[in-house]
């Protein structure tokens, strides 16, 4: 998926080769390193007209590719596919709007007859023409060409550069025949007469030159030697200038540059000295004097648009039509860096300084997108586009011969100032450190490891890499074994990550992946390996060295037609193959960086086209958005209207095609497939197999395979289990009838269990009957004791219990089950457990001889003992069932149970082995809670020594 950032216009576009004639102004503009210059024309300050592409001036001679003289605009263009010098010049007459074309016989070989366009001469042109003289020596001549024919002005030279020209004459820098040196001559077109203005020792110009409609001459210090153009043969006159800094002179203005940190500052004054010198307050570019004697300059100010301004009497003219806005052109955005989904672009064309822009990249169901570029920082010097690197929020740039790191636009750490930055190359940068390859003989074969925060540096082996706050290096262990070692840059701790059996080269590390761009001496094969595994994959490095990103491997292929293509392969995903991203664009020029980049932290790559548009392509696999994932553990297709289908949802950040496979063991049961255009994968399984039959109850394994709908790149498979249940889950619950059956204190052990398959958790509830103030017993509501518990037992009344069991009360316990299909069963029937009333309770009334005895194993630790025939204990029994708790012993005697005056039973407590807390008697009082009078009466022993009753507790169930 690709997103594009539109070509950016310069905030202060360039204007060079400025020329003017009256109200007409023309200039050349080149805003991008990969573009031929264009010409612009503005008449009377109107909207500039684009004159189209102009000739290239890369040969080092001053070619006036666009100019205006006597209301004639000259446009030098080229039809040569290599963009060479002009092979024709179009002359456009502004007063009649007629055009004529003068051919130029350009030949890049420079053979005899080769012609080079040099400048305009009114309605003609000046052409340098090569030939062989009578002695067969290679020579050139300067020809004035008009529609009427050619006229030779100079000959027998090696090269010409026209420094200034108009319809009447020209100042020409001549490279005379071999060994003869340089000479600057003025030539009058009408007469052909010439005058030597200066004879410099080299091709450098004098301090300044004057070329106005009335004069020409040279400046030396504060002395101007000038000739009248109307009578050049009369000899020069000497003029003392108001300043020795003067460089450019018009009929009314002197001007010169003064360098500052922000660029060229222009100072100007009136020629006659009537106004003092003044800084014209702005950054100025090209300065020229038109054939009307007026001086013009390209002016850049922070608060106004860039414009070609006319200077009058040492000031910037404010007259209407004396300012022509320079249209913003495409910026030179030929430096790209990517980090963590942020695209950084260096713009070296804005004013005399530049800016660094950033744009956030995202990919979602609607595709890839990029935010509008915003400025990260401004820089003043240095070729930032040559050294741009990024890591997280930090960027590395070159400024003023030093490497500077910015954190969110603010300088951080200590700048690195190497001795010769032009000979250096940044090999790796992690935000806190950089690896620098520098030209050195002392430390040949090493890299400089530089710590940004402190400025500390040290030498490390060539081929080292940075990642995760550590330095990775390769060390030879034995004859054929090499270790990849990791050194923590904070602690200095070193550990071996893995070993390889070849000479490693071009080490790269990301996460658990390690890439060697070469594996073996003179190898064109790399090696990709994953730590902790035996995985070893060869990688082709014959075209360009592959690049390891986080979860992505970038490789290169070469095709005769398409050139070099960048490919991306998602790592760690079955079935993922290398996908072509884009053909690498060429460099803008020899001084520029590559116009493409990859993101080593996120799956993005970017490139810039010839149209100045930056494209970013997402190179990753679709990924799930975890917050939106919903995968039920099971379902119950039983037609009850609840969870009758299994409907999981996985949300991906891209449109995807998907296949869901369900298996029982190794047998495939059901396959579902579709396309999720929104990225939301939502299959529905109704519990049937592929043949339409009913799938058996049980647990199934599912696997989801996903591919990007647009690119076909697979995502990592995900899998899990789903339970299919047709039976509603059921549970059972157990508890002792009396708390005393299990303990000596008021804690009731309760347990519960599954009665059906697939139960995953339980709810446990309880109820208790209590007596109101009027004496009525009421069963309370069902309360929760445990919710969704996976345990199967608990102690009601222990620490954390919702209530403390009270003597004489009956507690009812319930349970229900949840299963792996998401079903919830019904509550079980209640199981009751009573808390007995201890023998010491005031509710019991003893008559006759009874003794209290401390017995650790008895309920609440005591018993009431009697061996006296006729001794009784009486109490009120409000409930439905009566239970008597006693100790069975070898001296155990008998007692009678009397309810409402009627003996309902006789109990013998004899036992050969002692047994504590036994319910020795149970009697049903009725189905409804009513009040009864109960009494226990000690009877005569059944045998000698068997007459003692050990009463522990009584319980009336309510």
């Amino acid at each position: 998926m690709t997103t594009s950032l539109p070509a950016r216009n310069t905030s202060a576009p360039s204007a060079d080769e400025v020329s003017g004639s009256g109200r007409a102004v023309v200039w050349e503009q080149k805003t991008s390193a990969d573009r031929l210059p264009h010409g612009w024309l503005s008449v009377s300050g109107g909207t500039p007209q684009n004159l189209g592409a102009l000739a290239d001036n890369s040969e080092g001679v001053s070619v006036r590719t666009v100019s205006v003289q006597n209301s004639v605009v000259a446009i030098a263009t080229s039809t040569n596919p290599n963009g060479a010098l002009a092979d024709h010049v179009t002359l456009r007459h502004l007063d009649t709007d007629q055009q004529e074309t003068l051919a130029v016989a350009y030949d890049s070989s420079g053979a005899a007859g080769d012609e080079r366009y040099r400048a305009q001469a009114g309605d003609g042109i000046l052409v340098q023409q090569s030939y062989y003289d009578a002695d067969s020596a290679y020579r050139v001549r300067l020809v004035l060409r008009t529609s009427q024919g050619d006229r030779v002005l100079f000959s027998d030279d090696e090269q010409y550069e026209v420094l200034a020209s108009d319809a009447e004459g020209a100042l020409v820098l001549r490279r005379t025949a071999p060994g003869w040196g340089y000479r600057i001559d003025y030539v009058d077109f009408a007469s052909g007469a010439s005058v030597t203005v200066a004879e410099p020792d080299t091709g450098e110009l004098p301090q300044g030159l004057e070329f106005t409609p009335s004069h020409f001459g040279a400046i030396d210090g504060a002395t101007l030697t000038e000739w009248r153009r109307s009578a050049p043969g009369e000899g020069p006159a000497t003029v003392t200038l108001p300043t020795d800094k003067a460089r450019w002179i018009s009929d009314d203005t002197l001007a010169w540059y003064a360098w500052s940190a922000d660029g060229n500052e222009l100072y100007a004054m009136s020629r006659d000295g009537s106004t003092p010198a003044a800084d014209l307050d702005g950054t100025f570019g090209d300065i020229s004097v038109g054939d009307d004697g007026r001086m013009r300059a390209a002016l850049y100010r922070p608060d106004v648009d860039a414009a070609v301004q006319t200077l009058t009497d040492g000031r910037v003219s404010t007259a209407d039509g004396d300012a022509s806005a320079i249209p913003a052109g495409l910026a030179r955005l030929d430096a790209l860096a990517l980090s963590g989904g942020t695209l950084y672009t260096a713009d070296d064309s804005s004013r005399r300084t530049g800016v660094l822009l950033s744009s956030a990249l995202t990919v979602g169901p609607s595709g890839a997108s990029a935010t509008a570029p915003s400025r990260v920082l401004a820089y003043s010097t240095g070729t930032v586009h040559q050294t741009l690197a990024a890591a997280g929020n930090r960027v590395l740039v070159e400024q003023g011969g030093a490497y500077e790191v910015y954190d969110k636009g603010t300088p951080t750490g200590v700048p690195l100032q190497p001795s010769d930055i032009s000979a250096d190359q940044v090999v790796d940068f992690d935000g806190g450190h950089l690896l620098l390859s520098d030209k050195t003989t002392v430390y040949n074969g090493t890299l400089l490891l530089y710590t940004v925060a402190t400025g500390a540096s040290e030498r490390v082996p060539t081929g080292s890499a940075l990642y995760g706050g550590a330095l990775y290096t390769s060390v030879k262990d034995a004859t054929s074994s090499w270790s990849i070692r990791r050194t923590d840059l904070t602690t200095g701790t070193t550990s071996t990550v893995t070993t390889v059996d070849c000479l490693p080269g071009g080490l790269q590390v990301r996460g658990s992946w390690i890439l060697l761009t070469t594996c073996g001496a003179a190898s064109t094969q790399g090696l990709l390996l994953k730590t902790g595994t035996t995985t070893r994959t060869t990688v082709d490095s014959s075209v360009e060295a592959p690049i390891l990103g986080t979860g992505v491997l970038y490789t290169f292929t070469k095709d005769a037609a398409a050139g070099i293509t960048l490919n991306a392969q998602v790592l760690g995903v079955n079935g993922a193959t290398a996908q072509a991203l884009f053909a690498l664009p060429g460099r803008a020029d020899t001084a520029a960086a590559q116009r493409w980049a990859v993101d080593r932290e996120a799956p993005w790559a970017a490139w810039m086209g010839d149209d100045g548009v930056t494209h970013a392509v997402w190179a990753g696999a679709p990924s799930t958005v975890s917050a939106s994932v919903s995968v039920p553990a099971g379902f119950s297709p039983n037609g009850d209207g609840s969870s009758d289908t299994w409907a999981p949802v996985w949300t991906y950040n891209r449109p995807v095609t998907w296949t869901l496979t369900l298996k029982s063991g190794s047998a495939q049961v059901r396959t579902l497939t579709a396309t999720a255009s929104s990225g939301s994968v939502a299959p529905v399984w109704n519990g049937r197999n592929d043949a339409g039959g009913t799938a058996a109850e049980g647990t199934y394994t599912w696997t989801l395979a996903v591919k990007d709908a647009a690119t076909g790149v697979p995502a990592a498979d995900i899998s899990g289990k789903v339970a299919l249940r047709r039976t509603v889950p059921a549970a059972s619950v157990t508890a002792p009838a009396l708390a005393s059956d299990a303990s000596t204190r008021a804690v009731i052990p309760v347990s519960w269990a599954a009665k059906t398959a697939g139960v995953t958790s339980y709810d446990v509830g309880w109820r208790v009957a209590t007596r109101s103030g009027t004496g009525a017993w009421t069963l309370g509501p069902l309360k929760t004791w445990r919710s969704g518990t996976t345990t199967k037992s608990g102690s009601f009344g222990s620490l954390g219990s919702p209530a403390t069991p009270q003597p004489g009360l009956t507690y009812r316990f319930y349970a229900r089950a949840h299963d792996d299909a998401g079903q919830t069963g019904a509550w079980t029937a209640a199981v009751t457990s009573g808390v007995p009333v201890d023998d010491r309770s005031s509710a019991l009334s003893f008559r006759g001889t009874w003794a209290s005895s401390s017995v650790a194993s008895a309920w609440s630790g005591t018993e009431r003992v009697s061996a006296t025939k006729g001794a009784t204990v009486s109490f009120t029994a409000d409930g439905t069932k009566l239970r008597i708790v006693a100790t069975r012993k070898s001296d155990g005697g008998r007692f009678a149970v009397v309810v409402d005056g009627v003996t309902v039973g006789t109990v013998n407590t004899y036992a050969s082995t002692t047994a504590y807390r036994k319910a020795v008697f149970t009697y049903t009082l009725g189905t409804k809670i009513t009040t009864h009078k109960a009494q226990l009466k000690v009877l005569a022993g059944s045998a000698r020594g068997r007459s003692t009753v050990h009463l522990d507790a009584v319980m009336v169930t309510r």
Side-chain angles (χ1 to χ4, degrees):
M1 285 289 101
T2 303
T3 182
S4 298
L5 282 74
R8 182 174 184 268
N9 287 338
T10 59
S11 57
S14 65
D16 301 305
E17 302 291 356
V18 173
S19 179
S21 180
R23 294 293 188 176
V25 179
V26 295
W27 67 92
E28 173 186 306
Q29 183 175 22
K30 189 174 183 215
T31 59
S32 180
D34 60 335
R35 295 189 179 288
L36 295 178
H38 280 238
W40 294 85
L41 164 67
S42 179
V43 178
S44 298
T47 301
Q49 305 171 41
N50 190 343
L51 302 179
L54 307 174
D56 182 53
N57 58 4
S58 61
E59 291 198 359
V61 294
S62 179
V63 180
R64 294 304 298 263
T65 51
V66 58
S67 59
V68 58
Q69 297 172 7
N70 282 0
S71 296
V72 178
V73 179
I75 307 168
T77 57
S78 173
T79 58
N80 187 302
N82 296 319
L85 296 183
D87 58 10
H88 65 276
V89 178
T90 300
L91 298 174
R92 177 179 171 184
H93 295 259
L94 296 178
D95 50 359
T96 63
D97 205 29
Q98 293 182 342
Q99 293 189 167
E100 59 182 314
T101 298
L102 299 179
V104 180
Y106 170 76
D107 181 352
S108 60
S109 69
D114 172 39
E115 294 182 341
R116 308 294 173 98
Y117 171 64
R118 287 295 177 252
Q120 179 185 6
D123 57 0
I125 60 175
L126 299 175
V127 176
Q128 174 183 295
Q129 187 181 76
S130 61
Y131 67 98
Y132 291 108
D133 65 11
D135 298 325
S136 299
Y138 183 85
R139 294 287 186 267
V140 297
R141 53 195 169 217
L142 187 64
V143 175
L144 172 60
R145 177 167 296 165
T146 66
S147 57
Q148 284 73 40
D150 292 354
R151 183 156 57 89
V152 176
L153 301 176
F154 296 122
S155 61
D156 293 331
D157 292 326
E158 282 191 339
Q159 181 179 312
Y160 300 102
E161 179 178 351
V162 177
L163 306 177
S165 69
D166 57 19
E168 309 300 328
L171 279 174
V172 181
L173 175 64
R174 304 172 61 183
R175 178 71 171 97
T176 55
W180 292 358
Y182 295 87
R183 193 166 71 223
I184 299 176
D185 284 354
Y186 170 78
V187 58
D188 182 79
F189 294 156
S191 64
S194 63
V195 176
T196 298
V197 174
E199 295 186 73
D201 295 333
T202 67
E204 294 185 6
L205 298 179
Q207 171 186 321
L209 290 170
E210 177 183 16
F211 189 83
T212 71
S214 58
H215 294 85
F216 64 87
I219 303 171
D220 183 6
T223 300
L224 167 63
T225 303
E226 67 175 2
W227 289 258
R228 288 187 302 119
R229 294 180 67 179
S230 60
E234 293 182 359
T238 299
V239 179
T240 300
L241 301 174
T243 174
D244 60 2
K245 297 179 180 179
R247 294 295 185 272
W248 295 274
I249 301 179
S250 70
D251 280 341
D252 63 0
T253 301
L254 305 179
W256 62 92
Y257 282 145
W259 173 253
S260 74
D262 294 327
N264 287 330
E265 298 295 328
L266 185 66
Y267 287 77
M269 61 186 295
S270 60
R271 177 172 175 155
D272 60 9
S274 59
T275 60
D279 182 350
L280 298 187
D281 188 24
T283 302
F284 287 77
D286 192 71
I287 296 179
S288 71
V289 178
D291 63 354
D292 57 357
R294 309 183 76 193
M295 182 177 291
R296 296 170 179 85
L299 171 61
Y300 308 93
R301 287 178 176 169
D303 56 341
V304 295
D305 293 335
V308 175
Q309 295 279 351
T310 299
L311 308 182
T312 303
D313 290 329
R315 295 291 184 267
V316 175
S317 174
T318 59
D320 291 342
D322 279 355
S324 298
I326 306 171
L330 293 179
R332 175 172 170 166
L333 302 179
D334 60 352
L336 304 176
L338 282 162
S339 180
T342 299
L343 173 64
Y344 296 94
T345 308
D347 172 2
D348 291 337
S349 61
S350 180
R351 305 188 182 278
R352 292 302 180 261
T353 60
V355 296
L356 187 66
L357 308 171
S358 71
S359 181
L361 306 175
T362 55
V363 64
S366 60
S369 61
T371 61
S374 59
R375 193 174 84 167
V376 177
L377 61 93
Y379 57 88
S380 57
T381 58
T383 53
V384 171
H385 60 281
Q386 284 284 58
T387 58
L388 181 60
N393 291 319
R394 293 192 170 188
V395 292
L396 172 69
V397 299
E398 176 194 333
Q399 292 200 100
Y403 293 108
E404 180 82 62
V405 174
Y406 286 82
D407 189 336
K408 296 180 180 178
T410 302
T412 184
V414 181
L416 172 60
Q417 294 181 304
S419 58
D420 182 7
I421 204 166
S422 65
D424 300 333
Q425 180 183 2
V426 176
V427 175
D428 207 350
F429 174 64
D430 68 356
H433 306 83
L434 64 94
L435 288 174
L436 190 71
S437 174
D438 54 351
K439 303 297 182 182
T440 174
T441 56
V442 179
Y443 299 105
N444 196 25
T446 66
L447 296 175
L448 181 69
L449 172 63
Y450 185 79
T451 301
V452 175
T454 64
S457 63
E458 61 179 289
R459 289 286 164 177
V460 297
T462 295
S464 298
L466 295 169
Y467 179 71
L471 177 74
Y472 289 80
T473 55
S474 55
V475 179
K476 191 172 185 180
D477 294 335
T479 303
S480 59
S481 180
W482 292 75
S483 290
I484 307 299
R485 294 186 181 175
R486 179 186 186 278
T487 301
D488 190 291
L489 292 173
T490 301
T491 65
T493 304
T494 298
S495 59
T496 297
V497 178
T498 190
T499 59
V500 292
D501 296 328
C502 64
L503 173 64
L507 178 65
Q508 299 180 39
V509 181
R510 278 297 179 274
S512 59
W513 295 93
I514 295 177
L515 174 67
L516 308 177
T517 57
T518 59
C519 190
S523 171
T524 59
Q525 292 291 319
L527 186 68
L528 178 68
L529 52 104
K530 190 173 185 180
T531 58
T533 71
T534 58
T535 302
R536 298 287 191 275
T537 306
T538 58
V539 181
D540 183 20
S541 299
S542 61
V543 178
E544 288 197 25
I547 303 172
L548 178 62
T550 301
V552 181
L553 177 66
Y554 299 96
T555 57
F556 302 86
T557 54
K558 191 172 185 178
D559 179 83
I564 298 176
T565 298
L566 176 68
N567 310 285
Q569 178 177 344
V570 178
L571 298 176
V573 176
N574 292 332
T577 58
Q579 305 284 320
L581 298 183
F582 52 81
L584 301 187
R587 289 174 181 264
D589 57 30
T590 56
Q594 295 283 8
R595 292 189 300 168
W596 62 273
V598 299
D599 192 335
R600 300 192 64 194
E601 309 305 328
W604 289 95
W607 82 98
M608 181 176 291
D610 290 341
D611 55 0
V613 175
T614 304
H615 308 272
V617 58
W618 180 65
S623 60
T624 57
V625 183
S626 59
S628 301
V629 172
S630 175
V631 185
F635 69 121
S636 54
N638 51 20
D640 64 355
S642 175
S643 300
D644 285 330
T645 59
W646 183 56
V649 176
W650 295 273
T651 301
Y652 283 82
N653 63 346
R654 290 285 306 117
V656 295
T657 59
W658 57 267
T659 299
L660 179 70
T661 304
L662 294 126
K663 291 183 177 181
S664 176
S666 60
Q668 183 168 311
V669 176
R670 188 69 188 271
T671 300
L672 301 169
T673 185
T675 296
S677 59
S678 66
S680 179
V681 177
V684 177
W685 185 31
N686 60 3
R688 296 189 175 276
N689 57 30
D690 285 333
T694 300
E697 185 172 303
T699 300
Y700 292 81
T701 300
W702 57 264
T703 301
L704 179 67
V706 167
K707 291 184 178 180
D708 190 290
T711 65
V713 174
D717 291 350
I718 53 177
S719 60
K721 293 183 178 181
V722 57
L724 188 159
R725 304 293 174 193
R726 300 182 188 280
T727 304
V728 176
S732 63
V733 60
T734 58
L738 298 176
S740 56
D741 292 342
S743 177
T744 63
R745 58 192 182 89
V747 175
I748 305 171
V750 185
S751 62
W752 48 90
K755 297 177 66 176
T756 56
V759 172
T760 57
S761 64
Y762 304 86
D763 297 333
V764 182
W766 62 282
R767 301 174 77 182
V768 64
T770 57
R771 195 174 192 176
S772 68
T774 62
W777 288 90
T778 304
L779 186 62
L782 179 65
K783 298 180 181 181
T784 300
W785 176 22
R786 300 285 178 88
S787 179
T789 181
T790 57
T791 62
K792 295 185 178 182
S793 63
S795 296
F796 191 82
S798 63
L799 183 65
S801 178
T804 300
Q806 299 298 314
L809 295 183
T810 301
Y811 293 86
R812 292 162 173 81
F813 298 99
Y814 310 80
R816 65 180 180 182
H818 304 286
D819 68 8
D820 52 10
Q823 299 184 102
T824 300
W827 290 103
T828 64
V831 294
T832 60
S833 184
V835 180
V837 175
D838 185 47
D839 62 274
R840 291 172 293 179
S841 172
S842 60
L844 303 181
S845 177
F846 292 91
R847 300 285 188 202
T849 303
W850 292 87
S852 183
S853 178
S854 295
V855 180
S857 296
W859 177 252
S860 297
T862 64
E863 294 178 339
R864 192 66 62 96
V865 180
S866 179
T868 302
K869 180 182 177 181
T872 62
V873 56
S874 301
F875 55 90
T876 299
D878 294 331
T880 59
K881 186 170 289 188
L882 171 66
R883 289 184 175 87
I884 308 299
V885 180
T887 302
R888 292 186 184 275
K889 297 186 70 173
S890 58
D891 65 347
R894 297 185 306 135
F895 65 88
V897 179
V898 180
V899 176
D900 295 331
V902 178
T903 298
V904 295
T906 300
V907 180
N908 188 353
T909 63
Y910 167 77
S912 59
T913 301
T914 301
Y916 297 101
R917 304 184 315 280
K918 294 300 179 183
V920 296
F921 179 79
T922 301
Y923 177 73
T924 300
L925 298 172
T927 58
K928 295 182 178 180
I929 297 176
T930 54
T931 301
H932 302 275
K933 299 295 184 181
Q935 186 183 67
L936 307 183
K937 181 184 293 184
V938 178
L939 303 175
S942 60
R944 185 182 295 276
R946 299 180 184 176
S947 60
T948 304
V949 174
H950 299 264
L951 179 64
D952 198 354
V954 297
M955 178 66 203
V956 179
T957 300
R958 299 179 176 90

